Amino acid sequence: AQSVTQLGSHVSVSEGALVLLRCNYSSSVPPYLFWYVQYPNQGLQLLLKYTTGATLVKGINGFEAEFKKSETSFHLTKPSAHMSDAAEYFCAVSVPASGGYNKLIFGAGTRLAVHP
Amino acid sequence: EPEVTQTPSHQVTQMGQEVILRCVPISNHLYFYWYRQILGQKVEFLVSFYNNEISEKSEIFDDQFSVERPDGSNFTLKIRSTKLEDSAMYFCASSEAWTGRDGYTFGSGTRLTVV
């Protein structure tokens, strides 16, 4: 069964430090992978996605992620954290569903805290 | 940029009452979804919908839940008799392609509180 695992439910970094949020997936077919961000009391905003082509994808707010098939990983990084990056981050994979169309399944989320 | 619109943003209801959560997906999207997020927990798939039919539903989506697209623009989630454990944030989403390769666009959610 397809699944998404996010290592670390909480990550804390200093402002200006590297952000690394880990995501591993399992999928029986080539995956479409996504990162979403959720700010407090808000909805889910797409940060970036990987479908095909270049394995390093760039998203909004300076984030990027690299698809590594051999490691079944799609880790999210940002070179320099900003206070405004504090939020919950969800990795997700689009997987075949029983109805013949795909659905999105989410990891458990990683709460990123940024301290001065 | 096109948006998925959800109303209301907050709803408080008494246990046993019916609620209808409303969503307006992006106009050229064909695939629609409802997700649920209980406070502090992960986002869970409830149901997918295409061509006026449910494509797939999760174990959470029992007989108390129903979805419909009544008028070609709105996409609604009805909970017939709410329970305390239905308290959660409910997200509507839509996608253009059946694979989701162009992404899934989410609404800002409806926070449902059952008292």
Side-chain angles (χ1 to χ4, degrees):
Chain A
Q2 292 89 349
S3 66
V4 179
T5 303
Q6 291 185 241
L7 295 175
S9 58
H10 291 81
V11 170
S12 182
V13 300
S14 300
E15 191 173 20
L18 171 72
V19 175
L20 171 61
L21 305 182
R22 298 178 187 275
C23 173
N24 288 88
Y25 69 91
S26 68
S27 177
S28 57
V29 297
Y32 294 152
L33 296 160
F34 306 83
W35 276 98
Y36 284 85
V37 61
Q38 185 180 34
Y39 298 102
N41 299 314
Q42 294 190 27
L44 298 164
Q45 182 181 7
L46 180 66
L47 268 181
L48 49 79
K49 65 179 188 284
Y50 169 79
T51 53
T52 56
T55 56
L56 180 64
V57 293
K58 296 185 185 298
I60 61 172
N61 302 337
F63 284 93
E64 60 184 36
E66 186 171 11
F67 169 60
K68 291 186 177 180
K69 184 178 178 180
S70 60
E71 299 177 7
T72 61
S73 70
F74 191 56
H75 301 331
L76 182 71
T77 60
K78 182 174 181 178
S80 177
H82 192 271
M83 298 294 288
S84 61
D85 295 326
E88 185 98 21
Y89 291 81
F90 293 94
C91 182
V93 59
S94 181
V95 299
S98 62
Y101 313 106
N102 280 25
K103 65 180 179 183
L104 197 63
I105 61 170
F106 287 85
T110 298
R111 184 169 298 276
L112 175 67
V114 182
H115 51 86
Chain B
E1 186 168 332
E3 292 183 339
V4 173
T5 305
Q6 288 187 245
T7 55
S9 56
H10 293 84
Q11 177 139 9
V12 181
T13 188
Q14 290 200 326
M15 191 168 52
Q17 294 296 303
E18 175 184 286
V19 294
I20 297 177
L21 310 184
R22 302 181 192 281
C23 170
V24 179
I26 293 174
S27 59
N28 65 330
H29 286 188
L30 301 176
Y31 303 88
F32 314 117
Y33 314 84
W34 283 100
Y35 285 79
R36 181 182 81 174
Q37 184 184 31
I38 295 173
L39 185 64
Q41 298 187 23
K42 69 187 295 184
V43 181
E44 301 173 291
F45 170 79
L46 289 178
V47 66
S48 58
F49 190 87
Y50 169 71
N51 199 26
N52 284 320
E53 291 184 341
I54 290 175
S55 302
E56 183 178 353
K57 55 186 180 181
S58 71
E59 293 178 354
I60 303 168
F61 195 90
D62 62 22
D63 292 344
Q64 295 299 314
F65 290 87
S66 64
V67 290
E68 65 174 359
R69 192 158 157 81
D71 57 13
S73 60
N74 290 283
F75 178 51
T76 62
L77 174 69
K78 181 190 293 185
I79 308 175
R80 189 165 58 199
S81 178
T82 50
K83 304 186 285 285
L84 294 176
E85 54 264 39
D86 293 329
S87 294
M89 181 75 92
Y90 289 81
F91 292 106
C92 173
S94 66
S95 65
E96 185 176 3
W98 68 268
T99 58
R101 66 168 292 151
D102 296 317
Y104 299 77
T105 303
F106 284 79
S108 55
T110 293
R111 183 172 295 285
L112 177 65
T113 303
V114 182
V115 297

